[in-house]
Amino acid sequence: LSETKYGGCVTCCGLAASATIDDASVFPFILRGVSLIGIDSVQLPMDDRRKVWDRLQTDFPKSYFQLDPEILRLEDLKLAGEKILKGEIKGRMLVSPKSKL
């Protein structure tokens, strides 16, 4: 938030770990006219989702998506879900349908 330009916008999506914004205050929103926009990733119509996915291919460099996610097996999901709800996991996770990784 501290690097958001005057009149800028920050987004929030997910809320799997918690509904709080860590180490944040209302001052950037008030003093710099920053907007907080929520992203509805559940009810968004499929046509709009496709447009977003298409733009991700053109608006971001490929290196942005070359991150090292944790890869989980299906049988690991229950434990991972519990850890997410406790706030013990951050970052990206991919679920592999294979039982052996």
Side-chain angles (χ1 to χ4, degrees), residues 87-100:
E88 296 174 356
I89 293 181
K90 292 189 178 189
R92 297 176 188 262
M93 293 185 288
L94 294 177
V95 178
S96 172
K98 299 176 184 178
S99 59
K100 292 184 180 180

Side-chain angles (χ1 to χ4, degrees), residues 27-40:
F27 288 115
F29 299 101
I30 296 169
L31 299 176
R32 291 196 297 264
V34 172
S35 298
L36 173 62
I37 305 295
I39 298 172
D40 177 6

Side-chain angles (χ1 to χ4, degrees), residues 1-13 19-38:
L1 285 175
S2 64
E3 295 183 24
T4 305
K5 294 181 182 179
Y6 182 85
C9 174
V10 294
T11 61
C12 184
C13 179
T20 63
I21 303 174
D22 296 336
D23 300 325
S25 76
V26 298
F27 288 115
F29 299 101
I30 296 169
L31 299 176
R32 291 196 297 264
V34 172
S35 298
L36 173 62
I37 305 295

Side-chain angles (χ1 to χ4, degrees), residues 2-101:
S2 64
E3 295 183 24
T4 305
K5 294 181 182 179
Y6 182 85
C9 174
V10 294
T11 61
C12 184
C13 179
L15 303 178
S18 80
T20 63
I21 303 174
D22 296 336
D23 300 325
S25 76
V26 298
F27 288 115
F29 299 101
I30 296 169
L31 299 176
R32 291 196 297 264
V34 172
S35 298
L36 173 62
I37 305 295
I39 298 172
D40 177 6
S41 61
V42 176
Q43 300 297 324
L44 190 67
M46 189 54 70
D47 286 343
D48 291 335
R49 290 177 190 227
R50 286 189 180 102
K51 290 176 188 173
V52 170
W53 285 109
D54 288 344
R55 291 224 21 214
L56 286 173
Q57 294 178 38
T58 58
D59 292 6
F60 287 88
K62 288 184 181 181
S63 61
Y64 180 83
F65 299 103
Q66 294 173 346
L67 304 173
D68 292 325
E70 180 179 352
I71 300 175
L72 303 174
R73 298 172 302 158
L74 287 173
E75 46 276 15
D76 298 329
L77 283 180
K78 183 178 180 197
L79 179 60
E82 291 169 358
K83 288 182 176 183
I84 289 170
L85 292 173
K86 290 179 186 176
E88 296 174 356
I89 293 181
K90 292 189 178 189
R92 297 176 188 262
M93 293 185 288
L94 294 177
V95 178
S96 172
K98 299 176 184 178
S99 59
K100 292 184 180 180
L101 297 178

